Amino acid sequence: LFLNSPVHLYTTFQLAFPAMPSARTPAIGDLVFVPCSSLPQKRGARVSLGGGAEGAAAAAAEGSAAYADVAFLEGRVVALEGDDGDRAVVEVLPLDAAQGQTEQHSIPLRELRSRFPREDGKTCADNTALVHMNDATILENLRCRHAANEIYTYTASVLLAVNPYKDIPGLYGEEQCAAYRGKHIGACPPHPYAIADAAYRALTREDRNQGLLISGESGAGKTETAKIVMQYLAFASNSSSKHADQIQARVLRAQPILESFGNAVTMRNNNSSRFGKYNRVFFTASGSLVDAGITTYLLESSRVVVHAEGERTYHCFYEMLAGLDSETLKTLNLSRTGSYRLLCPDGVEKPLQGFESRDATNFKRLEDALHTLGLDPETIGSIWRTLAGLIHLGDLDEDFGPSSDSDDSSGLELNRVSLHKAAGLLGMDPDVVKSTLTMKKVKVPGRTSFHEVPRSVSQFRHALLSFIKALYKRLFERVVAKLNEAFRQMRPEKPLGDEETWKHIGILDIYGFENLERNSFEQLCINLANERLQQYFVENALRAEQDLYNREGLPWMDLPLPDGRPVFNAISQAFRILDEYSQNLTKGVGNATDKGFCQKVLEDAQKDAERNRVLKPIKIATGGRKSIVGGLGVNDAFTIKHYAGQVQYNTAGWLDKNNDRLLTECECLICDSTDHLVRSLGEEEETTAKPVFRSISKKYQKDLEMLLETLSTCNLHYIRCFKPNGEQRPDVFQNGLVLDQVVQCGTIELVKIMHDGFPNRCSFQEITNRFRDLLPESFQRYGMRTFIEALMLAYDVPQSDWALGMSKLFLKAGQLSTLEGLRNSGASVDPARLAEIVRSIVRKRWRRGVHAILLCNYIPKLMQRIRIEKARKKLQVAVLLASRLSTSLAAARARIQQRRLASRRRLAGLFHSIHLVQGQWMRVQKQRKEQLLVRVQHAFRLHFFIHRSAGAALGRARRTLEAAREQRRLEAEEAERSRLEAERLEQERLEQERLEQERLEQERL
């Protein structure tokens, strides 16, 4: 309750920003706003839900609950106290003073805000025209305009939009678009059409990319505002071209698709965007629409598997059940009235009711949009089958829920009916799906084989939920890719001009700053984006102020800017440590835990003075180990001081959340699917690679840097959206809630920047109408500029506190309230002072007239003198040139004659040289011919001698060779005769031995 109370909201504001500087210290009798946090036990104020008597009656009937939540109370300073007069006694009408009794409280002066009542009930379309520029008066102006159905307000160049939660007749449409077309901001009432038209005209005029940054928390109307801007751009670029009409249709049809797949019902908003998107619409140099593109950021994939009571998951699931015909639902094994765990909050058996008719209508719109963007029926059917498969996957576990997690693998039973339904729709084998989710493959050390072990209940649920989240996230990315592909298909075959000359208008619809009861990894990513965009906002707001001063002819002075780099550095360093711990957890290195990560972040922040001022440990209760809020330990969370206040981040589960890689077994399931769409969602390279870590924080920071780089090429326009109440009810304005958003969106920072210059700026016409009664009617005939100057002089406004521009009066803080006070009090100027001012005006006009006459007489004489002076200077130049040229001419003629003689001598010498060279060359050629002849003769003789010697040598060689051959032949014949003789002798010896043996044998016998 404390987190949602006005005291907490304003306390957050006080932590983020000290009291804004005031033009002067409040004095006795001044009307002021008093912060509720400065009063004891105050929780509201006397601002009823409705207006007039009806609102008062409702408040009396319902008690204090019928009053809008506010952050400031009205009061009046009745006395000053304190040693230095730094406190004031303020008379305040509290909430419970039904009869109007007042109470007095002692309040520090620095906490009071000056107040100016507007009896006429009029509001300011631009907050810079307020008498007092502070958070309380801006809040009051927004409240009054919201009550009058004037939901749009400017603050300088920034448009503030308060969600009315109802239709306001006559606010939108082609007629209104035509009224804003070609009009400068301020010419018509505040409206997104004006911002969109300014961007469109700047794109065609300056040939520079434009960007519209639409921010705000969930339920503030960012998505609707983005659609309003897109509608106007489609209107502004309207042409008779059929191609342009088709592009416009697809641009407008893309929004329902993104809403169905990326939006959900939350506690704060029935159509909350759960992702960031940057829509780009491309135009030619002439302003014709030629292309479009969509980039998305950080889809909240965890919402697919878990959402709180009173919320829903993404619209597409419910719209599919409500819109598909019964026959198609039967093929998907779905029932229109069935209860599915994926679509129900944790612990609830039925999904959130009350949206059935809207879901059916939106499904028809979704199907029409998908067909308009060129998706064929087979692709659309594959999308429905995939969504239906995810629904059945959610019913695999009979005891689904984090409360039943355990490390025991026994008792894990899957719903076989849901298993077969899911596997069939996703094109997978039911047994493989069951094995993948319930069994874990463990590699056997020293072998290439794997051993399967059962997963515990918690491991099974982690695998199942990761599988569902990954499939839906990739399906969402595929749908976005199909949208962009549909835009690319519409590009003309003959492009309208060079594509490099195309410029775009980008519309950034991104989540606002978040400070929830439990902030986690997603909130840190979201708040980092808001920090970076806030820095962009402040820098561009300062640049816009500088441009305004230049247009109005006022001198510019440098103003101090807040520096968000310490916060950027602290978050970036925390993400680097998170990557290190997540990678170690993936590899199984060391003891990587969430508590260890948090401890490391806090220890690392203490080493740097800047980061230590930004990132701090949580506050621990006295004498305990748990935090004051949430009961967290010292290593369970840390706090970061953002531009919008301190946020406590719970680091539980961050190591797992930061890893975007799916289990290898689950990746194989997707890649092996027989369904074409599901199989295309797989990542083949992840099925064979070793388990690796893929950082979500690093990718998010990279995407954010690319977004900021894109925005740096754009001229930026800002729309800040606010939700007036937490119940999404029309005609209810909770001041405390709106103040919190005003602080978080940076509007107060913009006011602080403007406060150092001239924060109040009013047109001459407005000043003349508002304060014409402060001067006699005779002053009206002097003209608005002279009237305003006389007004400043009559009431002794210091010259340093006001300045006249080309079309506006610029005032320091507090001076406009002084003039309003004088008007309300019926003050009049001393006649002698008026007479002096009239005389000064008359003297000034006489001086102007005399100066004009003198100028008229002086100009012809001046022009004549200028002409004479020009003629004299020209004559002097001519004479000087002639005198210099005469001597130079004689010298030039002498030099020319000398050069001519020298040239003749050089020419004669050249001829002689040529003749000599020719004679010498002829002699050389003759000598060369004679030498060549002698050499030829010698060569011939040498050739003849060599030829004869070579012939003789060849003959001798032949004879020697023949003799050698004959010698070898004779030797061979001799060797053959010797061999034959040896064989004959051997045979004779053998024959003798045989005869001898026969003889010996006979003798023996």
Side-chain angles (χ1 to χ4, degrees), residues 21 66 118 143 265 314 361 387 488 634 719 752 756 798 962:
R118 297 291 293 263
R143 186 193 67 80
V265 174
Y314 292 102
T361 302
L387 293 178
R488 286 193 295 270
V634 67
I719 301 179
K752 288 178 65 180
D756 294 330
E962 289 176 358

Side-chain angles (χ1 to χ4, degrees), residues 267-559:
M267 297 293 291
R268 297 183 175 185
N269 185 7
N270 290 339
N271 190 30
S272 175
S273 297
R274 307 315 300 164
F275 68 104
K277 62 178 177 287
Y278 185 61
N279 298 323
R280 287 191 287 185
V281 186
F282 293 88
F283 300 87
T284 61
S286 60
S288 299
L289 180 62
V290 290
D291 199 4
I294 301 170
T295 305
T296 59
Y297 304 94
L298 197 65
L299 175 73
E300 187 187 13
S301 56
S302 60
R303 178 167 290 273
V304 184
V305 295
V306 60
H307 51 277
E309 187 174 356
E311 298 187 347
R312 301 201 311 177
T313 185
Y314 292 102
H315 293 328
C316 56
F317 293 102
Y318 307 95
E319 292 172 358
M320 180 180 66
L321 289 176
L324 282 176
D325 57 84
S326 300
E327 187 64 27
T328 306
L329 285 176
K330 186 176 180 180
T331 61
L332 299 178
N333 299 311
L334 293 175
S335 171
R336 206 180 306 276
T337 58
S339 178
Y340 304 100
R341 294 188 180 275
L342 206 64
L343 309 186
C344 301
D346 186 24
V348 181
E349 295 183 356
K350 288 289 185 180
L352 188 64
Q353 302 297 312
F355 300 92
E356 291 78 9
S357 60
R358 191 193 76 171
D359 291 337
T361 302
N362 288 348
F363 181 79
K364 176 61 177 174
R365 185 186 65 169
L366 172 61
E367 272 202 324
D368 293 342
L370 292 173
H371 287 297
T372 302
L373 288 170
L375 271 67
D376 58 271
E378 177 59 28
T379 302
I380 297 175
S382 297
I383 293 175
W384 304 146
R385 287 195 300 273
T386 304
L387 293 178
L390 295 181
I391 292 176
H392 291 304
L393 278 179
D395 288 339
L396 286 186
D397 186 8
E398 295 289 353
D399 193 17
F400 191 83
S403 60
S404 60
D405 286 354
S406 70
D407 294 331
D408 186 11
S409 60
S410 61
L412 179 59
E413 293 293 335
L414 301 187
N415 187 323
R416 298 195 61 83
V417 176
S418 298
L419 175 63
H420 282 79
K421 291 178 181 179
L425 292 169
L426 297 175
M428 302 174 183
D429 187 298
D431 294 331
V432 176
V433 174
K434 178 181 178 181
S435 174
T436 300
L437 295 177
T438 59
M439 305 296 290
K440 178 171 60 174
K441 291 183 178 180
V442 179
K443 186 176 181 181
V444 179
R447 300 182 183 178
T448 58
S449 59
F450 290 86
H451 176 62
E452 289 190 346
V453 296
R455 297 184 190 273
S456 65
V457 174
S458 61
Q459 290 173 343
F460 159 73
R461 293 203 174 95
H462 180 267
L464 175 61
L465 300 185
S466 299
F467 187 46
I468 296 175
K469 289 190 294 183
L471 274 175
Y472 186 81
K473 180 180 179 182
R474 295 179 187 181
L475 177 63
F476 175 79
E477 293 172 349
R478 179 56 52 85
V479 170
V480 175
K482 288 287 185 181
L483 294 179
N484 290 323
E485 182 181 348
F487 291 133
R488 286 193 295 270
Q489 290 174 354
M490 292 302 300
R491 290 188 177 184
E493 295 182 0
K494 296 181 179 180
L496 304 175
D498 188 0
E499 291 188 16
E500 295 182 357
T501 64
W502 293 356
K503 299 299 178 183
H504 73 265
I505 296 179
I507 303 173
L508 180 63
D509 176 6
I510 200 164
Y511 11 63
F513 185 88
E514 291 191 353
N515 187 3
L516 311 177
E517 287 191 38
R518 187 182 187 277
N519 302 286
S520 188
F521 175 72
E522 294 83 3
Q523 279 67 46
L524 183 58
C525 292
I526 290 171
N527 292 342
L528 172 61
N530 280 272
E531 283 282 355
R532 300 297 301 273
L533 293 173
Q534 171 66 12
Q535 192 71 18
Y536 254 71
F537 167 70
V538 172
E539 292 173 357
N540 280 273
L542 184 64
R543 190 177 299 113
E545 283 290 289
Q546 185 175 359
D547 292 341
L548 175 63
Y549 278 50
N550 292 336
R551 287 197 306 271
E552 294 290 332
L554 299 181
W556 173 253
M557 52 186 173
D558 291 331
L559 300 178

Side-chain angles (χ1 to χ4, degrees), residues 10 194 232 285 327 403 436 487 580 639 768 815 837 969:
Y10 186 70
Y232 182 85
E327 187 64 27
S403 60
T436 300
F487 291 133
E580 177 185 347
T639 62
T768 303
Q815 296 303 329
I837 292 175
R969 185 180 65 79

Side-chain angles (χ1 to χ4, degrees), residues 824-844:
N824 294 337
S825 63
S828 59
V829 186
D830 182 24
R833 178 62 173 160
L834 286 177
E836 177 63 27
I837 292 175
V838 171
R839 286 194 295 271
S840 67
I841 293 175
V842 172
R843 284 197 300 269
K844 185 178 293 186

Side-chain angles (χ1 to χ4, degrees), residues 816-827:
L816 191 58
S817 63
T818 301
L819 295 177
E820 291 283 3
L822 293 171
R823 186 187 67 167
N824 294 337
S825 63

Side-chain angles (χ1 to χ4, degrees), residues 199-236:
Y200 180 76
R201 287 187 293 107
L203 178 135
T204 56
R205 182 180 63 250
E206 302 174 5
D207 193 30
R208 183 184 176 189
N209 295 331
Q210 306 294 309
L212 281 81
L213 271 62
I214 304 174
S215 61
E217 70 173 51
S218 179
K222 300 187 299 297
T223 301
E224 292 300 320
T225 303
K227 290 195 291 187
I228 293 169
V229 170
M230 293 291 287
Q231 290 169 359
Y232 182 85
L233 293 178
F235 171 84

